[in-house]
Amino acid sequence: MREAEGPGTVLDAALLERVRRRLAADVEQPTPHSVAAALRAESGLHGSATVLAIVDALRGEARGAGVLEPLLCGEGVTDVLVNGADAVLVDRGDGLEKADVRLGDEAGVRRLAQRLAARAGRRLDDASPWVDARLPDGTRLHAVLAPLARPGTLISLRVPARRSFDLAALSAVGTLGAGVRELLESLLSARAAFVVTGGTGSGKTTLLSALLGAVHPDERIVVVEDATELRPDHPHVVGLEARPANIEGTGLVTVRDLVRQALRMRPDRLVVGEVRGAEVVDLMAALNTGHEGGCGTLHANSAADVPARVEALGVAAGLTREAVHSQLAAGLDVVLHLGRGRDGRRLLAEVGVLQVAADGMVCVVPALSLRGTTPEQGPGHQRLQQVVARAR
């Protein structure tokens, strides 16, 4: 049983499935007439409320994200996750909570995942059982079909920000602690090169977008992304988006390809939306050839883990360990690490600076810890002040 969209009307999942099958051959959208005809072929009496509820349910399945659409449109929603047929979770900015929504059965979840993939122009079936794509409205889709996924087909939807947060707004909601906004603005004025790090859903893209919105309006920002997510409120932003190969296996355009193109587009600031592959080589090269103020996001457990993460990506792309650390030391100034407080809210938890050891290896030294009510200075604070002073 599940709640229909109409108030007070409860639909029998088995009845809905039987009507769905009877109408499967129809090419038109379900109508009250066609649903009533299908119900007459079923045993039992059904009133107009049931007819209209089934029409709404079947039409909802045929458009958008079906029963998930109200969640995706909800105020403050950042993520909607489907764990098979029995669990739908939603994040409204305060951590995951279970939603009062059911998708019927595994077949229904699979149909939804395949329909969403088709909207993104991608294939999702037993021969290609996962997909990572962007829907036309900007929502990021990831899905894995059962039986690879347990307890059933898994769908992850990342909702794009409906408005661009600026640094003032992030300060107001507690993402930035006392005095941090001024520090970040100073880093931008100093044209410091930085990466925003954190786990999935920690707010990396939101913070980076806010920072880019605070860049001087005369500067040209060129953004390279695997899937467009950054929407800074800035008068001179141009973007390049990667493209997967089509069904025939042709047409692939990688982030690394686009970074090389961006270098020829006269960027004042080069931004890589997420560094997670061989493009780290080109980004590091760009930061070491006069492109000051470059930035991007990077998945990392902590600021201290950034050198190891960049090393792993760089070595996989063909650089030696020594070359990775040399370019990292010369090209990157600051690490801004995001985490979550005990209340589940996202916050800028740490600011770190790079330090080169005697053997040439790079480490990240804490400059500010921001998890408490007041910032705590770390051993890298003096170096951070030197970076900021370049703007004066």
Side-chain angles (χ1 to χ4, degrees):
M1 307 285 285
R2 74 173 181 87
E3 286 291 329
E5 294 181 5
T9 304
V10 178
L11 286 181
D12 185 296
L15 176 63
L16 178 63
E17 178 62 24
R18 292 197 300 271
V19 172
R20 182 190 293 115
R21 290 176 180 174
R22 288 184 180 276
L23 299 179
D26 291 350
V27 295
E28 301 295 334
Q29 281 206 359
T31 65
H33 178 75
S34 62
V35 169
L39 283 173
R40 283 197 296 270
E42 297 291 330
S43 59
L45 297 175
H46 304 283
S48 59
T50 300
V51 172
L52 294 177
I54 292 178
V55 170
D56 287 343
L58 294 179
R59 286 182 175 178
E61 289 180 355
R63 66 177 185 271
V67 295
L68 300 182
E69 197 71 32
L71 294 178
L72 295 172
C73 297
E75 182 68 26
V77 171
T78 61
D79 296 88
V80 175
L81 310 176
V82 177
N83 297 344
D86 296 325
V88 177
L89 305 172
V90 61
D91 188 343
R92 295 182 172 89
D94 298 323
L96 290 173
E97 57 186 86
K98 195 164 184 178
D100 188 20
V101 173
R102 281 182 53 83
L103 294 175
D105 55 17
E106 169 57 27
V109 182
R110 185 183 180 98
R111 282 194 303 271
L112 174 59
Q114 290 176 320
R115 186 174 72 252
L116 291 172
R119 288 182 61 203
R122 303 293 295 276
R123 171 183 173 183
L124 184 63
D125 53 30
D126 290 337
S128 183
W130 57 77
V131 66
D132 186 6
R134 183 171 60 87
L135 301 178
D137 65 355
T139 299
R140 186 69 180 265
L141 163 70
H142 183 269
V144 184
L145 296 179
L148 271 65
R150 299 191 307 270
T153 294
L154 305 179
I155 303 173
S156 303
L157 295 166
R158 169 65 56 83
V159 181
R162 295 181 175 87
R163 65 184 181 94
S164 295
F165 285 86
D166 57 17
L167 295 179
L170 292 181
S171 297
V173 299
T175 300
L176 305 180
V180 176
R181 174 184 172 186
E182 292 76 12
L183 169 64
L184 296 180
E185 290 172 340
S186 297
L187 289 173
L188 291 173
S189 298
R191 297 187 61 79
F194 63 90
V195 291
V196 180
T197 65
T200 300
S202 59
K204 299 186 296 297
T205 299
T206 300
L207 176 58
L208 181 55
S209 184
L211 287 166
L212 294 177
V215 169
H216 194 281
D218 290 342
E219 296 188 39
R220 174 177 168 88
I221 302 173
V222 180
V223 180
V224 177
E225 295 182 89
D226 183 51
T228 300
E229 292 181 322
L230 284 168
R231 292 175 172 82
D233 184 11
H234 189 276
H236 198 168
V237 177
V238 295
L240 300 173
E241 183 179 21
R243 182 178 67 194
N246 59 23
I247 296 177
E248 288 76 29
T250 61
L252 174 67
V253 178
T254 67
V255 170
R256 187 172 190 182
D257 295 330
L258 296 179
V259 170
R260 293 174 179 173
Q261 300 309 310
L263 294 175
R264 296 169 173 83
M265 296 171 62
R266 199 256 177 221
D268 289 309
R269 293 182 189 258
L270 175 61
V271 181
V272 179
E274 184 174 338
V275 180
R276 56 180 177 181
E279 64 272 7
V280 70
V281 174
D282 301 279
L283 178 62
M284 288 295 106
L287 297 179
N288 282 283
T289 54
H291 291 83
E292 294 182 331
C295 53
T297 67
L298 180 74
H299 279 88
N301 294 327
S302 67
D305 290 334
V306 168
R309 176 74 170 141
V310 175
E311 178 185 317
L313 297 176
V315 170
L319 291 181
T320 65
R321 186 185 184 205
E322 292 74 15
V324 171
H325 281 260
S326 176
Q327 292 203 41
L328 190 59
L332 190 64
D333 296 307
V334 177
V335 174
L336 306 174
H337 185 73
L338 286 155
R340 288 186 182 268
R342 293 181 178 178
D343 59 359
R345 293 185 179 274
R346 303 175 179 90
L347 76 158
L348 179 60
E350 186 179 356
V351 178
V353 293
L354 276 70
Q355 178 175 292
V356 184
D359 61 358
M361 297 295 103
V362 173
C363 63
V364 173
V365 180
L368 283 176
S369 176
L370 305 164
R371 291 187 181 275
T373 55
T374 58
E376 295 183 7
Q377 297 182 7
H381 189 261
Q382 183 176 356
R383 169 59 182 159
L384 179 63
Q385 294 303 307
Q386 292 173 351
V387 173
V388 169
R390 297 199 311 230
R392 298 169 184 166

